Amino acid sequence: MKPLRQLLDKMHPLFTKGGKLEPFYPLYEAGDTFLYTPGEITHGPSHVRDALDLKRMMITVVAALGPCILMAMWNTGYQANLVLDAGGVSVPEGWRGAVFSAIGLTANPDNHLANLLLGALYFVPLFLVSNIAGGLCEVIFSCIRNHEINEGFLVTGMLYPLTLPPTLPWWQAAIGIMFAVILAKEVFGGTGKNFINIALTGRAFLYFAYPSQISGDRVWVAADGYKLVDGYTGATSLGQLGSLDPANASMGMNAVTNSVAEGGLGMSWMDAFLGIIPGSMGETSALACLIGAVILIATGIGSWRVMAAVVLGALVTSGLLFAAGSDGNAVFAMPPHWHLVVGGFAFGTVFMATDPVSAAFSNGGKWVYGFLIGFMTILIRVINPAFPEGIMLAILFGNVFAPLIDYFFVQANIKRRLARTHVTA
């Protein structure tokens, strides 16, 4: 590696002030700091509350996302192979089928390698498109403003595709991430200055701009246009519960629980916990998110207070609504422990709500901020079945209120300190 270090040092004068390639210094700096430890400290106020290096922080988050990424690829392929195998289709159509044929695999849900490969053929292209499109925006703004390309986009570029359905067109994924990077990050100054989560902003844009490609019953299972055969459904658990016959809601918990565990949804609580269900690629497995949570908490990257508060808010709110019941809304009868494993609740709690830039930073504020997110998540899920997944909107809602929450806690702390101060003549 020493020759490479010498080459980079030799090229350095070309990119510094007065050099021939000065406008492209951010590209040189990004490559240099990606390969080697930066030789200088961060001058911007990105994380002035912590001495942790930004690069190490982002790499740790990416490592914590590892289980979710593996599960995203395996489960995406598994759900697709279930449908293809049940429909008598040996290989998927298009270029993915050509890859399958070349390797000698078939659409067999019992073959873990076939599941992982097929899922990767859906996830990796969306991942690459998201990073190329969003990274291009980062590079353009860095060159214009003459500042370094920060590693923050590594996490955004990883989180964003994990929140998408496998069937989303690539061009829509590109538009979504470009919208988020420009309007939720760069217009506010870049890394460390966004007041809302960037990845969720991109997904929210797609949710409202292209609802037919990111919601409904047919977007969650990548079966290459094949109709879902009898016995298999592409709807998410929350989506199906929201569409249950309201008359069944009067039967209480048993009707909904049986429908989830043994009936139309064809899944158990353990299936939902493991993530063997349709949904956004990286959000289905609560177990994978739990492993990521342990890594983030152990390394001090993720706030356990925020995670605990979100769970507490969700359990309290869902428990109250479950006890209240409803004759016209079957989602009221979903037991609180089910809310923790369906949809993107676990993923949002661990990786989105804990964003150190857009979350509350005071310890007391983290509890209020997290509880607010948990409360809003269940409120959106249950009260308004038209939005079956509430965690996305709830986190963005919490991001908006985070500065105000911190303001009150900071002011309260100042008042307590002033009260303890004794002025002597």
Side-chain angles (χ1 to χ4, degrees):
M1 297 295 288
K2 188 174 181 180
L4 179 58
R5 178 68 269 171
Q6 292 175 342
L7 176 62
L8 290 172
D9 290 339
K10 185 178 180 179
M11 295 171 58
H12 186 265
L14 296 175
F15 294 92
T16 55
K17 189 173 183 179
K20 295 181 179 180
L21 302 177
E22 179 184 349
F24 302 102
Y25 175 77
L27 287 175
Y28 167 81
E29 192 272 343
D32 191 355
T33 55
F34 180 80
L35 295 171
Y36 298 95
T37 302
E40 56 184 20
I41 63 173
T42 301
H43 296 289
S46 300
H47 300 282
V48 294
R49 298 182 298 274
D50 201 320
L52 181 65
D53 177 74
L54 184 62
K55 180 178 181 179
R56 293 180 183 179
M57 179 180 185
M58 296 306 171
I59 291 177
T60 302
V61 177
V62 171
L65 282 168
C68 292
I69 295 170
L70 290 175
M71 191 61 191
M73 293 189 290
W74 181 86
N75 186 58
T76 298
Y78 174 72
Q79 298 296 330
N81 282 331
L82 275 178
V83 175
L84 297 175
D85 181 63
V89 180
S90 58
V91 294
E93 292 180 346
W95 64 273
R96 297 181 180 89
V99 174
F100 254 52
S101 300
I103 299 178
L105 295 174
T106 58
N108 180 9
D110 297 324
N111 187 328
H112 296 303
L113 179 59
N115 295 335
L116 191 64
L117 176 61
L118 183 56
L121 293 177
Y122 279 94
F123 173 76
V124 173
L126 279 176
F127 170 77
L128 293 177
V129 168
S130 300
N131 279 270
I132 292 172
L136 181 61
C137 294
E138 290 260 344
V139 170
I140 293 174
F141 275 88
S142 295
C143 292
I144 293 174
R145 292 172 172 168
N146 194 29
H147 64 67
E148 70 271 12
I149 301 175
N150 293 292
E151 293 85 355
F153 184 72
L154 290 176
V155 174
T156 301
M158 190 70 72
L159 288 171
Y160 174 71
L162 289 172
T163 67
L164 303 177
T167 58
L168 186 76
W170 297 351
W171 65 270
Q172 290 185 12
I175 291 177
I177 193 64
M178 293 172 71
F179 174 90
V181 169
I182 295 174
L183 294 181
K185 179 181 181 180
E186 296 299 342
V187 297
F188 293 102
T191 300
K193 299 178 182 179
N194 54 286
F195 72 99
I196 54 178
N197 186 277
I198 303 167
L200 279 183
T201 301
R203 193 186 191 280
F205 170 80
L206 293 175
Y207 187 85
F208 292 106
Y210 306 102
S212 61
Q213 279 78 32
I214 204 167
S215 60
D217 296 348
R218 300 295 177 182
V219 303
W220 307 110
V221 175
D224 287 315
Y226 290 101
K227 292 183 178 179
L228 300 180
V229 297
D230 293 340
Y232 296 92
T233 176
T236 63
S237 51
L238 289 170
Q240 289 200 59
L241 281 177
S243 62
L244 284 178
D245 185 354
N248 290 335
S250 62
M251 298 173 63
M253 182 187 75
N254 290 334
V256 176
T257 303
N258 291 338
S259 179
V260 173
E262 302 171 358
L265 304 189
M267 69 180 71
S268 65
W269 187 91
M270 185 56 65
D271 288 337
F273 176 73
L274 296 176
I276 314 175
I277 57 176
S280 297
M281 288 188 287
E283 296 182 346
T284 61
S285 178
L287 175 61
C289 295
L290 187 60
I291 296 173
V294 172
I295 296 174
L296 293 179
I297 293 174
T299 55
I301 303 297
S303 171
W304 66 268
R305 292 180 177 86
V306 171
M307 298 183 198
V310 174
V311 173
L312 181 63
L315 288 176
V316 170
T317 308
S318 60
L320 293 175
L321 293 177
F322 175 73
S326 172
D327 293 334
N329 188 341
V331 190
F332 270 80
M334 175 182 275
H337 64 282
W338 267 95
H339 281 283
L340 303 182
V341 297
V342 296
F345 179 83
F347 189 83
T349 298
V350 174
F351 297 106
M352 301 293 196
T354 56
D355 179 2
V357 178
S358 56
F361 69 84
S362 59
N363 286 338
K366 290 176 181 177
W367 285 104
V368 176
Y369 164 80
F371 192 92
L372 176 64
I373 291 176
F375 167 76
M376 290 299 300
T377 298
I378 303 304
L379 198 66
I380 296 171
R381 280 183 176 183
V382 178
I383 301 300
N384 189 357
F387 293 95
E389 180 53 86
I391 189 70
M392 173 186 69
L393 298 177
I395 292 176
L396 293 175
F397 183 83
N399 291 162
V400 173
F401 278 90
L404 184 62
I405 294 171
D406 281 331
Y407 172 80
F408 283 113
F409 274 91
V410 170
Q411 292 301 313
N413 187 40
I414 293 174
K415 290 181 180 179
R416 285 195 300 269
R417 292 193 176 195
L418 289 176
R420 295 196 301 265
T421 301
H422 299 282
V423 180
T424 59

